[in-house]
Amino acid sequence: MVDDAAASPSAAPLASEWDVVVVGSGAAGLMTCLELPQGLRVLLLSKSSEPPSASRWAQGGIAAVTRADDSFESHIADTLRAGAGLCDRPAVEMLVREAPACVERLLSLGMAFDRNGEELSTTLEAAHSHRRVLHAQDRTGGALVDALEREVLHRPALVLRKGMPALQLWIEAGCCVGLQVLDGDRLRWLRCGAVVLACGGGGHLFAHTTNPSQASGDGVAMAWDAGARLRDLEFVQFHPTCLFHPEAQTFLISEALRGEGAVVVNAQGQDFTRKTDPRGSLAPRDILARAIDEEMKESGAACVYLDIRSRGSEFLGQRFPEITATLRKLGIDPARQPIPVVPAAHYQCGGVQAKLNGVTSLPGLLALGEVACTGLHGANRLASNSLLEALVMAHEAAEHLPQTLPGSDGGVKLPAWKEGKAHDADELVVITHNWREIRQLMWDYVGIARTNKRILRAQSRLQLLLQEVQEFYWDFRVTPDLLELRNLALCSALIVESALRRHESRGLNANADYPGLAKVAKDTVIRAGEI
Ligand code: SIN
């Protein structure tokens, strides 16, 4: 049942008690709702009506071993290698081995993967040693979310509320027992047996990103406030090839283009990428994004180019219809000219520390998909492992959750909350200013190439900003924008803290003051009260 609070002011009143509240309606959230036992009362929250989730924007695909010439060992080895020595091997093994069953499940739901005759069609992406990425043209995420939504929305005892952001978790005696939401302009507490965070990452912490605008680090911020442990937040993945165009600043040019022969070149048409890695344009993302960043800094160029002219118009139109159409609308014909691209923040490899079934350090709180850190990605995620992780985790969580749900205890005593009243237009402008400032300073000082001085500069500015934002948060009536700003500021400060703790260059954390690798690969784990 869809109950769109934002679209319809007369939406039915929302019950105050649920078995499970799922925050986020991307792949992880939808799959959890689908797999939970039918009798449970499930509330699925989506913070905005539009734009869609990051899952829906995923172009590339889902990595899974489906071909006879591929093997689990090879997928495991590629994931470990891309993760730069920090992956949790058991997590990697489990995910890789579960992948074919996950694909079967998607097929049973009508997921329209591309085929070559009877066979599922597979593509290559960077750092994979086999063609193992299943895809639905260049809108795999869209096809996936469509397939999941078709099923989920018929589920009895499920309510989907769009336009209802979650503010904070409700903690009692060290357990998560519910959460606070923004219902129109009213704050409400909802009690539940478990909260599942499936609300994605924080691409919008950075000035340039491939993520939709709701990726503001909400899950990490809420979990941190509630006292959950966070892991490896310093590893922010920058996708090497985001379109460089003023009218489409978050548009991704899928890595699958490089898998099909596209090459990254500079303005002179030279392939500079082999200077740093013999795999060139198919090197892991951390390495390629750094090579592009260095090339742009050395040459002063505003972008580099992705050249796929070798594949011709017909192939591009069939295999990458959305990318080709979007580019042509912007006056770029990829069959005739190289595509201008820049690296941009794409994926949060760290997050709320969680097991593969989503269980976090806080009883009653689960975290799934990008908001979680299971150890699968280590210091750098292998392409197309993320939708897989979201789906497998959701499946595991839905199996685990019913055994842990407490019965309803009747009388609910709501926690105290002082609701700010003021609405000062002059002051609200500051929200936009602070938002821009944080995103720019994270990009400038905590981006692809880091130094201690830059990170410390970010830290001192963020301290002031965070203080200002917290004052707003408590004194003013909370709006979705203020809530996002507060999450953005907090999450940025946590990334900075994590980056300062890592005294090495590993994977996505490249710090010129610590150019080497530490002897032992260790996770960065932080928890409220410890910093
Ligand atoms: C892409 O299509 O390049 C993105 C795939 C991913 O992030 O795994």
Side-chain angles (χ1 to χ4, degrees), residues 129-461:
S129 52
H130 286 82
R131 291 181 77 93
R132 66 166 71 95
V133 178
L134 307 177
H135 50 88
Q137 295 179 312
D138 55 357
R139 57 174 302 274
T140 311
L144 170 67
V145 172
D146 284 346
L148 294 173
E149 278 182 357
R150 269 196 305 272
E151 294 293 316
V152 168
L153 300 183
H154 297 303
R155 209 197 117 109
L158 174 115
V159 172
L160 164 60
R161 266 289 166 120
K162 292 187 183 176
M164 185 172 279
L167 262 78
Q168 60 173 332
L169 299 168
W170 176 356
I171 306 300
E172 251 176 37
C175 295
C176 178
V177 295
L179 76 171
Q180 190 182 40
V181 295
L182 192 54
D183 187 359
D185 59 2
R186 193 173 142 227
L187 294 171
R188 291 192 55 180
W189 290 102
L190 303 176
R191 181 101 180 175
C192 59
V195 172
V196 176
L197 293 178
C199 42
H204 275 265
L205 272 63
F206 293 84
H208 306 287
T209 178
T210 63
N211 290 182
S213 60
Q214 67 263 45
S216 48
D218 304 344
V220 163
M222 270 191 285
W224 168 261
D225 261 352
R229 257 183 237 135
L230 307 179
R231 175 176 173 185
D232 293 338
L233 280 181
E234 64 275 32
F235 297 114
V236 176
Q237 186 168 68
F238 293 84
H239 196 292
T241 58
C242 175
L243 179 64
F244 179 67
H245 193 285
E247 285 165 42
Q249 294 186 15
T250 52
F251 191 69
L252 182 70
I253 307 295
S254 175
E255 191 154 294
L257 268 81
R258 280 176 277 133
E260 299 295 350
V263 178
V264 177
V265 295
N266 60 19
Q268 290 71 45
Q270 291 154 348
D271 176 358
F272 58 88
T273 62
R274 284 177 199 280
K275 281 190 277 183
T276 39
D277 193 294
R279 289 165 290 184
S281 296
L282 285 174
R285 284 186 189 164
D286 54 340
I287 295 171
L288 184 60
R290 266 198 302 280
I292 295 175
D293 187 58
E294 274 162 27
E295 173 73 18
M296 285 168 55
K297 282 183 180 141
E298 265 170 33
S299 65
C303 67
V304 293
Y305 296 86
L306 190 64
D307 192 347
I308 185 131
R309 286 176 294 173
S310 58
R311 296 309 301 257
S313 197
E314 198 184 329
F315 171 81
L316 290 176
Q318 272 169 15
R319 176 65 182 85
F320 301 112
E322 285 214 355
I323 294 175
T324 306
T326 303
L327 290 175
R328 288 203 172 125
K329 251 189 246 153
L330 296 168
I332 302 166
D333 181 353
R336 300 169 72 91
Q337 66 196 105
I339 309 161
V341 290
V342 282
H346 182 61
Y347 191 86
Q348 166 187 295
C349 292
V352 183
Q353 187 178 45
K355 297 186 181 155
L356 284 165
N357 58 11
V359 168
T360 68
S361 61
L362 201 60
L365 179 69
L366 280 78
L368 306 177
E370 188 174 355
V371 71
C373 179
T374 60
L376 169 72
H377 308 308
N380 174 51
R381 177 175 67 87
L382 182 68
S384 289
N385 268 353
S386 50
L387 287 177
L388 172 64
E389 186 191 40
L391 296 169
V392 172
M393 285 187 85
H395 173 79
E396 296 295 311
E399 283 211 330
H400 164 82
L401 253 180
Q403 301 138 37
T404 65
L405 293 175
S408 167
D409 62 358
V412 175
K413 191 167 170 295
L414 301 181
W417 171 263
K418 169 182 144 314
E419 191 163 344
K421 289 277 179 281
H423 252 310
D424 182 331
D426 287 348
E427 296 294 350
L428 290 181
V429 169
V430 176
I431 294 180
T432 320
H433 294 170
N434 285 355
W435 175 283
R436 252 190 255 134
E437 192 176 342
I438 293 171
R439 298 186 65 209
Q440 196 58 50
L441 77 86
M442 287 300 282
W443 180 260
D444 290 340
Y445 305 139
V446 201
I448 296 173
R450 299 172 179 171
T451 64
N452 284 347
K453 199 165 152 197
R454 286 186 202 159
I455 306 172
L456 287 168
R457 193 176 291 155
Q459 189 183 44
S460 66
R461 292 184 190 185

Side-chain angles (χ1 to χ4, degrees), residues 20-52:
V20 181
V21 176
V22 179
V23 182
S25 60
L30 289 167
M31 189 56 129
T32 307
C33 293
L34 190 59
E35 304 270 78
L36 279 170
Q38 295 280 325
L40 295 178
R41 297 160 306 162
V42 179
L43 174 63
L44 174 58
L45 294 178
S46 169
K47 84 168 170 183
S48 50
S49 298
E50 294 296 333

